Amino acid sequence: MTGTSKVALAFSGGLDTTVCVPLLEEEYDYDEVIGVTVDVGQPAEEFAEAEETAEALDLDHYVVDAKAEFAEQCLDSVAANATYQGYPLGTALARPVIADAILEVAEDEDCGGIAHGCTGKGNDQLRFEAVWRDSDLEVIAPVRELGLTREWEMEYAAEKDLPVEGGNEGDWSIDTNLWSRSVEGAKLEDPGYVPPEDIYEWTETPGGKGVETVEIAFEEGKPVAVDGEELPPVQLIEYLNDLAGSHGVGRTDMMEDRMLGLKVRENYEHPAATTLLNAHEALEGLVLTKEERDFKAQVDDQWAQKAYEGLLSAPLVDALDGFVDATQGKVTGTVTVKFEGGQARPVGRESDYAVYSESAASFNTESVDGIAQEDATGVAKYHGFQSRLANEVAADAEAKKAELLADGSGDEGEEEQ
Ligand code: ARG
């Protein structure tokens, strides 16, 4: 199908991407497949699996470390308070980072094509291809294009003696990175099925560990330290995943509306994300004006939508980022978060930028900046004036209408007699 003989494949060592290797040669006429696994914070076992499978397939295999870049992206999402229908977007934020890293390898290796193992039902095919279709490479999705089913893949793998340990992938389909762990598929597809405790790996059953507080320091919207200890993004996220996870913080069980319109049942774990998002929003509550907070909620929502779509490269997002950045200079300070009952609840916040005057808000002071309590009397008289007037006018108009109707029906009655 193409003259160039090399193709780069997003490779995890799972069933889908493993069967893609021979298929890219047989069905798409490539001479050589290059497997690329991008590190965005998956557990070590996943790299071991990818490495092992690649070796067994005699596949040229790259592992690209994109953890630091991905962690920065996660913290940018905190500045935008980004969640989609309650989900902190781990998979969604990771895909463009992964796609970029694979594209770079593909271009360095002079590949003619670039491939992923996604099916035609999910979001990831769209997120990968949004990046790749900006290149000259042939974009290939064998599982989707050849209409493969899991059953067919298992049979094909057995026939070809491919290194897939049948059933060894466990009951669930799992996607893990620094920001979240997603668990889906099998029995969990039934929205009514209550998940067993053992689907959770990052979070303990809430309530087992007692209560603990942490202090998170932010600089210009970015978390920089926990309990006074400065940590770079990757370590900060890992630390909070462990700590908040031990308190059972950050479980989400939800119905998610995918981009193609399908509603799916999803389960997530995201202890660090929940902790940082809650803390960040609490600090914004202290330092931003009401107008800024109200408008930012709309900006944040749009930002999260584009992040879910894997389209943070959209021009709209540059404009949204302009607003987010303009507000974040003031989001500097500390937030105390209490881990209790599976929640990460902000219980204290401090900032030099606090739009807060204790003397103005306190019940114990008489006048502030020359404004005394009784000055509110005039405001209180006006408050609700328009609503009172509108209700009065409506009542008068109704009464008038009823009167006219009563007169009219009286006339009619007389005529009939
Ligand atoms: N539905 C989520 C998303 O589109 C995550 C899917 C993760 N995949 C998985 N196999 N668990 O962002």
Side-chain angles (χ1 to χ4, degrees):
M1 274 173 209
T2 169
T4 319
S5 63
K6 283 200 262 184
V7 56
L9 168 69
F11 186 75
S12 70
L15 178 63
D16 288 323
T17 58
T18 298
V19 300
C20 281
V21 174
L23 287 173
L24 284 166
E25 292 165 358
E26 288 166 13
E27 301 291 324
Y28 295 88
D29 289 340
Y30 281 94
D31 300 325
E32 195 189 334
V33 183
I34 296 167
V36 188
T37 306
V38 181
D39 184 354
V40 283
Q42 305 90 313
E45 310 91 74
E46 286 190 23
F47 295 103
E49 188 194 356
E51 207 77 72
E52 239 173 72
T53 311
E55 228 166 87
L57 286 167
D58 204 16
L59 179 72
D60 197 3
H61 186 219
Y62 280 77
V63 178
V64 182
D65 183 356
K67 251 163 59 180
E69 192 192 332
F70 178 54
E72 289 287 349
Q73 185 64 269
C74 296
L75 298 191
D76 282 347
S77 82
V78 172
N81 299 312
T83 58
Y84 174 79
Q85 298 182 333
Y87 147 56
L89 295 161
T91 298
L93 291 170
R95 289 304 176 263
V97 174
I98 294 171
D100 273 333
I102 297 170
L103 182 57
E104 208 170 294
V105 172
E107 282 172 344
D108 284 351
E109 285 281 340
D110 268 327
C111 290
I114 190 161
H116 62 71
C118 303
T119 69
K121 297 205 171 175
N123 293 320
D124 287 342
Q125 51 174 340
L126 307 180
R127 296 169 180 147
F128 278 130
E129 292 183 34
V131 174
W132 293 348
R133 289 188 187 277
D134 205 18
S135 76
D136 295 328
L137 300 180
E138 182 190 16
V139 176
I140 307 166
V143 177
R144 180 184 72 204
E145 288 159 12
L146 304 172
L148 308 187
T149 62
R150 236 179 146 66
E151 250 168 51
W152 187 92
E153 288 178 13
M154 292 297 292
E155 249 169 62
Y156 177 78
E159 202 179 286
K160 291 256 154 187
D161 205 15
L162 299 177
V164 291
E165 303 109 69
N168 224 11
E169 288 178 329
D171 288 342
W172 321 116
S173 163
I174 292 168
D175 183 63
T176 310
N177 60 49
L178 267 182
W179 204 231
S180 67
R181 179 172 175 272
S182 141
V183 191
E184 62 180 27
K187 280 197 223 154
L188 288 171
E189 283 173 2
D190 173 2
Y193 173 74
V194 178
E197 266 307 290
D198 68 12
I199 69 161
Y200 303 111
E201 258 176 36
W202 284 12
T203 53
E204 295 296 330
T205 307
K209 207 191 166 193
V211 176
E212 189 173 354
T213 58
V214 283
E215 192 186 81
I216 297 168
F218 287 85
E219 253 167 47
E220 305 198 344
K222 293 268 168 74
V224 291
V226 181
D227 286 333
E229 195 187 331
E230 281 190 33
L231 291 169
V234 173
Q235 282 78 357
L236 187 135
I237 294 167
E238 285 175 343
Y239 179 77
L240 284 176
N241 271 334
D242 281 348
L243 184 64
S246 73
H247 286 275
V249 166
R251 290 183 177 182
T252 302
D253 182 332
M254 63 185 285
M255 295 308 298
E256 180 175 313
D257 291 294
R258 282 192 190 156
M259 280 183 266
L260 291 176
L262 298 173
K263 229 178 233 309
V264 288
R265 197 274 186 84
E266 292 281 1
N267 273 276
Y268 297 103
E269 297 180 279
H270 37 77
T274 295
T275 306
L276 292 170
L277 287 163
N278 290 357
H280 178 266
E281 208 167 9
L283 191 54
E284 284 194 338
L286 181 66
V287 302
L288 300 186
T289 62
K290 172 177 157 55
E291 294 99 308
E292 287 175 311
R293 290 172 78 183
D294 289 350
F295 191 74
K296 187 160 185 295
Q298 299 176 51
V299 170
D300 290 348
D301 184 60
Q302 291 294 312
W303 199 99
Q305 294 284 345
K306 298 320 280 182
Y308 187 73
E309 293 165 14
L311 294 179
L312 288 178
S313 55
L316 172 67
V317 179
D318 285 339
L320 299 176
D321 279 338
F323 181 82
V324 172
D325 289 348
T327 58
Q328 295 305 291
K330 295 181 283 190
V331 187
T332 296
T334 58
V335 179
T336 306
V337 175
K338 187 182 266 188
F339 299 129
E340 185 177 24
Q343 306 290 315
R345 198 160 52 88
V347 290
R349 67 288 280 155
E350 269 173 26
S351 172
D352 289 344
Y353 295 91
V355 188
Y356 179 74
S357 157
E358 194 163 348
S359 56
S362 168
F363 300 115
N364 297 323
T365 32
E366 292 202 329
S367 85
V368 178
D369 289 339
I371 305 172
Q373 215 185 131
E374 58 264 32
D375 290 329
T377 306
V379 180
K381 283 183 181 169
Y382 264 111
H383 189 61
F385 168 74
Q386 196 170 75
S387 302
R388 289 195 293 275
L389 181 62
N391 291 338
E392 212 175 283
V393 166
D396 287 353
E398 283 301 323
K400 213 163 154 187
K401 202 161 108 190
E403 226 171 80
L404 276 170
L405 227 74
D407 286 355
S409 65
D411 289 352
E412 248 172 65
E414 267 162 38
E415 263 167 41
E416 256 177 22
Q417 274 181 350

